[in-house]
Amino acid sequence: MAGLTIEQGDILTVENMKGLFLVVSKNFFNIAEQAILCPIVQDDFQDALHIPINIQGEVQGFVLCEQMRFLDLRYRGYKKTGRIKYSDIINITDAIQSIFDY
């Protein structure tokens, strides 16, 4: 899908992968269509690493912050399906950062 800009906070579908994914890597990292994504699931429980999201009723679920994946999207088909609010991006990236803090 060359030509599409991938940005932190975008929600994607990815070829040959089930479900939705949230782009959590910063925009400068995503320029080359490589990104770090977290899956979004519908049925789960809220805890420190499972962050709930709701976008005007379109996407509802939990971002699984501990299941980050690096994907080279130059070699996979993908499609943007939505975007989360900036305040949600902050909450999610804070949760991811907490995995690496000690």
Side-chain angles (χ1 to χ4, degrees):
M1 298 290 157
L4 288 181
T5 304
I6 303 165
E7 295 181 335
Q8 186 179 44
D10 286 344
I11 297 171
L12 307 177
T13 57
V14 180
E15 183 178 272
N16 296 324
M17 296 182 75
K18 185 178 178 183
L20 298 172
F21 294 86
L22 177 69
V23 178
V24 296
S25 48
K26 291 187 175 258
N27 294 344
F28 75 87
F29 186 84
N30 304 329
I31 291 171
E33 290 186 282
Q34 297 174 329
I36 298 172
L37 310 175
C38 288
I40 300 171
V41 297
Q42 300 301 311
D43 298 318
D44 203 57
F45 58 92
Q46 182 175 349
D47 71 10
L49 296 176
H50 298 181
I51 309 297
I53 60 170
N54 183 349
I55 304 168
Q56 300 169 356
E58 292 177 19
V59 177
Q60 296 181 14
F62 295 88
V63 176
L64 303 182
C65 297
E66 77 280 13
Q67 293 188 23
M68 293 174 282
R69 295 171 169 94
F70 169 80
L71 289 178
D72 190 339
L73 296 170
R74 295 173 297 177
Y75 302 106
R76 291 184 180 260
Y78 65 92
K79 180 180 175 186
K80 291 185 190 184
T81 63
R83 182 159 181 77
I84 64 171
K85 298 181 297 189
Y86 186 71
S87 59
D88 289 336
I89 293 170
I90 291 170
N91 290 337
I92 291 164
T93 56
D94 283 350
I96 291 169
Q97 182 64 39
S98 74
I99 294 170
F100 299 101
D101 286 342
Y102 54 95

